[in-house]
Amino acid sequence: MKYLSKRIRILTVAVAAVLVFGLAGTGIASAGNGGSGNNGGSGNNGGAGPHFSQPPSGALIVNNGSYATQSYLPHACASHTYPTIAAAITAASPGKTIYVCAGTYNESPSIGKPLTLLGAQFGTDAQFARGPETIIDGIGGVTYTTGATSGTINGFTLNGYTGSTGEIVASNVGSGWTFSNDIIDVSNGGIYLNTDGAVNPPPTTIDQDKFVQATPSGIPSSGDFGQAVLLWANTANNVTIANNAFVNLSGPGAGINTSQAGCGATPNIADFGNNLRIEGNSFVDNGAPIPSSTYGIDENFAVLFCTTNATVSNNTVTITDHNDASAETPIYLGGGDWATTVSGNTLIGNGASGASGAEINSDFYPSGTGDTITANTISGFLYGIHVRIGLDYGTLPSNTPSYFTITNNHVTGSLSDGILISQGLYGTISGNNVSGSATYDCADLTGPGGPGTSGTWDTWSNNRGYTSSPARLCH
């Protein structure tokens, strides 16, 4: 019994040692290690507490004292230099970093020099739960003015804007913007930007943001209400919008809208934005209780106009309101899109009876050529993929989309046709797998008398489907 008791005491000590030393190396917080267990610790004054990202060395520190528990903040916040963001901006030399401690700042910063603004959660993905926020809630949002050749906003919550443009406006002043890890209320517009006509500017990145809408768009609705990212009023080149969450936004408009400066029938560097990448985003639409008489109050995910070499890939769009007649087409190429690739997206309509999953048309601008829709998974829309002539909303006459490619898509459960070419010339439709369509899995209305498959003006090959009009488009 003594031997057994001794063994038990030894085992107890060993287990305790494992718990103390083992857990210390896992990042699991304890009161004695000064961390919260999130992203390497809270960095506060030595005790357990919420997570804050640490101010980088040399940053100007802003703290207005509005965060309730000041002792939790990083040490630098206790010896801050500036009580307002505006004061720090005025004092900062171009290229400087400003760290804004957690709290609420009723300001509308105007920035006329290249600066980096970091909030309490900079570097921490806004799509997930995180610590206390640095909130800018001024009615004027954040505006970049002449002299701001670039800029960064990272780790903030932005709300309170009451205008009709955006919480962040960076228009006709610079390029190379970075807006990351922010929570942005788009009730009156989100990010409104361009790259000031620069032909090959430094990359602009909008990533790991969460776009929400505290106030649904009213009827009638105007301005940029509900639109999260607008590339507007000039060309926007080398822009990447990646790994963001768009949550239950209401329009009219789109989560991402790329009208640029408007465009004509032929690509040129003055009117067309080049090298746009929309990748890895999630867009959830739960429907809206009141439909608009003009638009449906729901939004498109991405509306592309006047682009060259754009890519929309690996995004997930979910219409959660079943049989939503107001749902809009998630990926909408509305004219002026040249060599655009739509690939690897998952589009879930749940019976969206007035929308296509992806669409090529010339509603607002003359259609471009060379667009490709490939390897997408699309279910539950009126049409899975639709190509058609425009409805002449724009100032130039609509034209027929041509030389497009639709390949290797998986389309199921369409309320009408799985793949429908209403009007199109010299398209290539191949290798698609289409099933469960209420009318036809494959349909092409461009014939008869065309040089393509079954008298259409398009070439169909190796498509799998059960119903076809005319025959032999899929089988």
Side-chain angles (χ1 to χ4, degrees):
M1 290 294 291
K2 290 182 179 179
Y3 176 75
L4 180 58
S5 176
K6 183 177 181 181
R7 289 289 302 274
I8 291 173
R9 287 197 300 272
I10 293 172
L11 181 60
T12 301
V13 172
V15 170
V18 169
L19 289 174
V20 171
F21 294 105
L23 293 181
T26 65
I28 297 175
S30 68
N33 68 16
S36 68
N38 183 9
N39 292 335
S42 68
N44 55 23
N45 294 329
H51 165 75
F52 301 96
S53 299
Q54 292 300 293
S57 176
L60 278 61
I61 307 299
V62 178
N63 185 6
N64 67 1
S66 61
Y67 181 67
T69 310
Q70 290 285 304
S71 61
Y72 280 166
L73 298 177
H75 289 285
C77 294
S79 56
H80 68 278
T81 308
Y82 302 98
T84 66
I85 301 170
I89 291 171
T90 299
S93 56
K96 196 69 175 176
T97 295
I98 298 172
Y99 178 91
V100 187
C101 302
T104 299
Y105 296 79
N106 185 223
E107 301 185 50
S108 300
S110 179
I111 305 171
K113 62 189 83 170
L115 296 173
T116 295
L117 268 62
L118 302 179
Q121 300 301 325
F122 82 86
T124 304
D125 195 329
Q127 299 175 82
F128 306 105
R130 59 187 192 178
E133 298 285 338
T134 301
I135 301 169
I136 300 177
D137 68 352
I139 64 172
V142 179
T143 303
Y144 287 92
T145 61
T146 301
T149 53
S150 64
T152 295
I153 298 177
N154 189 325
F156 289 83
T157 289
L158 301 166
N159 57 39
Y161 174 71
T162 59
S164 59
T165 306
E167 285 280 358
I168 299 173
V169 177
S171 179
N172 294 326
V173 292
S175 58
W177 309 105
T178 300
F179 304 125
S180 302
N181 304 303
D182 300 308
I183 299 171
I184 302 176
D185 178 6
V186 306
S187 295
N188 287 59
I191 298 173
Y192 182 105
L193 69 82
N194 58 56
T195 56
D196 197 26
V199 175
N200 189 25
T204 287
T205 301
I206 299 170
D207 72 328
Q208 297 189 168
D209 295 311
K210 182 178 182 180
F211 296 97
V212 299
Q213 189 168 357
T215 305
S217 299
I219 300 174
S221 185
S222 62
D224 299 326
F225 299 168
Q227 301 199 81
V229 181
L230 293 101
L231 308 184
W232 206 270
N234 205 329
T235 55
N237 296 314
N238 298 343
V239 175
T240 296
I241 304 169
N243 304 315
N244 303 284
F246 300 79
V247 183
N248 297 330
L249 309 184
S250 62
I256 301 169
N257 188 327
T258 71
S259 284
Q260 320 282 344
C263 60
T266 304
N268 61 77
I269 60 175
D271 300 326
F272 287 75
N274 186 53
N275 194 30
L276 168 67
R277 304 180 71 86
I278 302 173
E279 301 173 335
N281 302 282
S282 66
F283 180 95
V284 175
D285 181 358
N286 67 353
I290 307 173
S292 164
S293 59
T294 302
Y295 297 93
I297 201 76
D298 293 346
E299 285 196 342
N300 312 86
F301 162 56
V303 169
L304 270 62
F305 306 112
C306 307
T307 62
T308 55
N309 304 304
T311 300
V312 183
S313 65
N314 301 317
N315 303 283
T316 300
V317 175
T318 306
I319 311 299
T320 59
D321 184 23
H322 287 258
N323 305 314
D324 186 355
S326 297
E328 299 286 352
T329 296
I331 300 177
Y332 174 100
L333 308 187
D337 299 300
W338 294 72
T340 297
T341 299
V342 177
S343 67
N345 301 284
T346 300
L347 311 175
I348 303 169
N350 281 317
S353 57
S356 304
E359 186 167 289
I360 300 172
N361 64 61
S362 53
D363 279 349
F364 291 87
Y365 302 97
S367 181
T369 64
D371 295 331
T372 298
I373 300 177
T374 183
N376 301 282
T377 301
I378 304 173
S379 64
F381 290 90
L382 179 65
Y383 308 115
I385 300 170
H386 191 193
V387 178
R388 61 175 175 83
I389 198 169
L391 300 177
D392 281 328
Y393 295 135
T395 58
L396 296 174
S398 300
N399 67 338
T400 301
S402 60
Y403 297 100
F404 52 87
T405 299
I406 300 172
T407 181
N408 297 327
N409 298 282
H410 186 74
V411 181
T412 59
S414 298
L415 280 66
S416 183
D417 301 319
I419 298 176
L420 171 62
I421 315 300
S422 292
Q423 296 90 20
L425 292 171
Y426 311 115
T428 299
I429 305 98
S430 67
N432 300 284
N433 193 330
V434 189
S435 63
S437 306
T439 307
Y440 295 105
D441 289 332
C442 305
D444 193 323
L445 308 182
T446 62
T453 305
S454 299
T456 70
W457 283 84
D458 305 301
T459 300
W460 294 71
S461 64
N462 301 317
N463 299 287
R464 299 189 63 182
Y466 295 96
T467 54
S468 174
S469 177
R472 298 187 300 278
L473 304 182
C474 58
H475 47 81

